[in-house]
Amino acid sequence: MKWLASRGVFLCLPLLAAMRAEAQTAAIQFHSAPKRTALLELYTSEGCSSCPPAEAWLSRLEYSPRLWRDFVPVAFHVDYWNYLGWKDNWSQAKYSERQRTYAQHWRSENIYTPEYVLNGKEWQNGFTGKSGPQTDGEIVGMLTVTSTDTNRWQASFVPGGRVEMGYDIHAALLAGGIGTDVRAGENKGRRLNHDFVAVNLVQARMTAGKGAAEGAFVLGTVRYTSGATLALAIWVTRSGQLESLQATGGWLIPPATKSL
């Protein structure tokens, strides 16, 4: 099997080609119920000594029966701790900027890790419960995404109320089952395990029509590591906003079967 290195991570061409060949025979579809599916974001870093417990809790949600139905998790690795002696290869500046934008919206002077954000609000109830956060149960509408090649996706959002003028669709490709041996910094000598890691984040405008908003997005280059899971998280917001209105997602390469 041929592997290509790219910026410290790997692209598995044969595996993804096989996935896409299989997908051509049947469309892949993820969809929400009318009730809100929560978007759970974790801001974390391999250079942060207090982050591993938060990531371990997130990893345990992999086998929650409410995963994808009641909540969609995304781990954003920030880059502002890279100066401490260890560069987190999963970190991206745009994830740090996303967290700063939240802080500005909340009129908060500080950003920190680990930090959970639930539906656009700071969430400090992490590490509790083994099945994930509760949904608020609000009827917000149905989000559906479909693809025949795992790269180009069509999205439709049918709001629970009237269709507004502007919506954005967001999608994060999530890698899991990842292990890193940290050789410097605050976690020196530790092996860190990651799940639901955002390795790509894309956004596109949706066009409002009669009763629904429609849009499309392209994931582009897919980064993948040997032995890892792969999933997709998708959410819709009002144009120019971060707060999720509705979310959905699911596995592209699922974990091994296991019960909670």
Side-chain angles (χ1 to χ4, degrees), residues 9 13 38 40 66 80 88 128 130 139 147 149 154 165 185 207 218 225 227 237 249:
V9 290
L13 297 180
L40 176 63
R66 299 194 297 109
Y80 51 80
D88 185 340
T128 61
K130 64 179 182 178
I139 303 296
S147 176
D149 66 1
Q154 300 294 320
M165 289 301 296
T207 302
V218 178
T225 57
T237 67

Side-chain angles (χ1 to χ4, degrees), residues 177-199:
I178 299 165
T180 300
D181 293 312
V182 180
R183 297 185 298 275
E186 291 189 356
N187 288 310
K188 182 179 179 180
R190 302 181 68 174
R191 180 169 178 82
L192 303 182
N193 298 309
H194 308 306
D195 291 290
F196 304 113
V197 178
V199 295

Side-chain angles (χ1 to χ4, degrees), residues 8-215:
V9 290
F10 296 93
L11 172 63
C12 177
L13 297 180
L15 176 59
L16 290 172
M19 286 174 56
R20 289 174 179 172
E22 182 178 354
Q24 288 176 359
T25 63
I28 300 173
Q29 184 181 94
F30 302 128
H31 63 86
S32 71
K35 291 183 179 180
R36 189 193 319 273
T37 298
L39 177 67
L40 176 63
E41 304 171 57
L42 171 62
Y43 291 87
T44 184
S45 170
E46 290 184 342
C48 159
S49 61
S50 57
C51 286
E55 292 206 41
W57 181 81
L58 195 73
S59 292
R60 287 196 290 272
L61 300 183
E62 189 174 80
Y63 296 99
S64 169
R66 299 194 297 109
L67 175 65
W68 313 124
R69 183 189 70 196
D70 292 341
F71 65 89
V72 170
V74 181
F76 289 114
H77 283 233
V78 299
D79 69 343
Y80 51 80
W81 294 128
N82 287 352
Y83 76 94
L84 293 177
W86 178 256
K87 181 180 179 181
D88 185 340
N89 278 330
W90 304 104
S91 67
Q92 295 192 39
K94 64 180 178 181
Y95 301 157
S96 302
E97 186 59 32
R98 180 180 176 87
Q99 189 185 23
R100 291 188 184 98
T101 303
Y102 270 130
Q104 292 170 1
H105 180 69
W106 301 329
R107 294 182 172 84
S108 175
E109 296 181 357
N110 300 308
I111 56 175
Y112 61 93
T113 56
E115 181 180 36
Y116 283 105
V117 177
L118 185 66
N119 289 335
K121 297 180 180 179
E122 189 176 21
W123 191 63
Q124 298 180 339
N125 296 324
F127 308 93
T128 61
K130 64 179 182 178
S131 63
Q134 299 294 324
T135 179
D136 59 18
E138 182 179 354
I139 303 296
V140 294
M142 293 185 63
L143 175 61
T144 303
V145 295
T146 307
S147 176
T148 57
D149 66 1
T150 72
N151 185 38
R152 297 173 178 83
W153 295 78
Q154 300 294 320
S156 175
F157 177 55
V158 181
R162 65 181 180 86
V163 180
E164 300 182 21
M165 289 301 296
Y167 296 98
D168 293 333
I169 189 73
H170 309 255
L173 188 68
L174 310 178
I178 299 165
T180 300
D181 293 312
V182 180
R183 297 185 298 275
E186 291 189 356
N187 288 310
K188 182 179 179 180
R190 302 181 68 174
R191 180 169 178 82
L192 303 182
N193 298 309
H194 308 306
D195 291 290
F196 304 113
V197 178
V199 295
N200 195 14
L201 177 65
V202 298
Q203 175 181 338
R205 293 294 302 272
M206 301 186 79
T207 302
K210 186 177 181 181
E214 307 288 339

